[in-house]
Amino acid sequence: SGYALGGRDPVAYFIARQPLEGLPRHELRWGGTIWVFLNEGNRAAFEADPEVYAPELAGCDPVALADGFVTEGNPMIFALYDGDLLLFHSEINRFLFLADPQSQMGAAKGNAARLGCVGRRGSNP
């Protein structure tokens, strides 16, 4: 689609607890990426504090990172953990993460810088 999160509204993950399609009339460029939103309210919330809503680990799958490699997360397979949006490559990886989130996240963050998955998706052009 050319949009961050495949055109899903990043704020909707937190409000509706599901990936919902954004509308091109509510788009915003942040970090070299175009984001779309369901409505102006969600767009304004993101614009006020994008680091809250953009995917953690630059959108990389935390289970793959914990294992020492990079796999891009799928915006349809997600979890909210410790206030962060995490994307997973597969339902299996999501399950594995949720079975032991603390150690998975610790290992993922330990490998993230070395593997180029630091910060929030969209925060680096």
Side-chain angles (χ1 to χ4, degrees):
S1 71
Y3 294 121
L5 297 173
R8 274 74 180 181
D9 178 337
V11 178
Y13 288 93
F14 294 87
I15 295 173
R17 305 279 191 217
Q18 60 183 321
L20 298 174
E21 292 285 331
L23 302 171
R25 70 176 175 257
H26 302 297
E27 73 177 39
L28 171 73
R29 180 174 290 278
W30 175 69
T33 305
I34 299 172
W35 302 77
V36 289
F37 304 89
L38 288 169
N39 54 51
E40 281 299 317
N42 285 9
R43 183 184 184 279
F46 184 89
E47 190 171 26
D49 199 355
E51 294 284 330
V52 168
Y53 301 105
E56 177 65 40
L57 301 170
C60 297
D61 182 320
V63 175
L65 283 175
D67 289 341
F69 61 94
V70 175
T71 303
E72 185 176 348
N74 179 335
M76 298 302 289
I77 307 170
F78 75 98
L80 297 174
Y81 174 72
D82 199 25
D84 293 320
L85 173 61
L86 300 172
L87 304 178
F88 299 90
H89 175 73
S90 67
E91 290 287 345
I92 292 169
N93 280 12
R94 183 180 184 276
F95 173 82
L96 291 171
F97 178 85
L98 293 174
D100 188 9
Q102 284 184 313
S103 68
Q104 289 284 336
M105 195 59 150
K109 286 185 175 183
N111 289 330
R114 178 176 60 83
L115 296 172
C117 292
V118 294
R120 303 287 177 158
R121 173 181 275 174
S123 62
N124 299 317

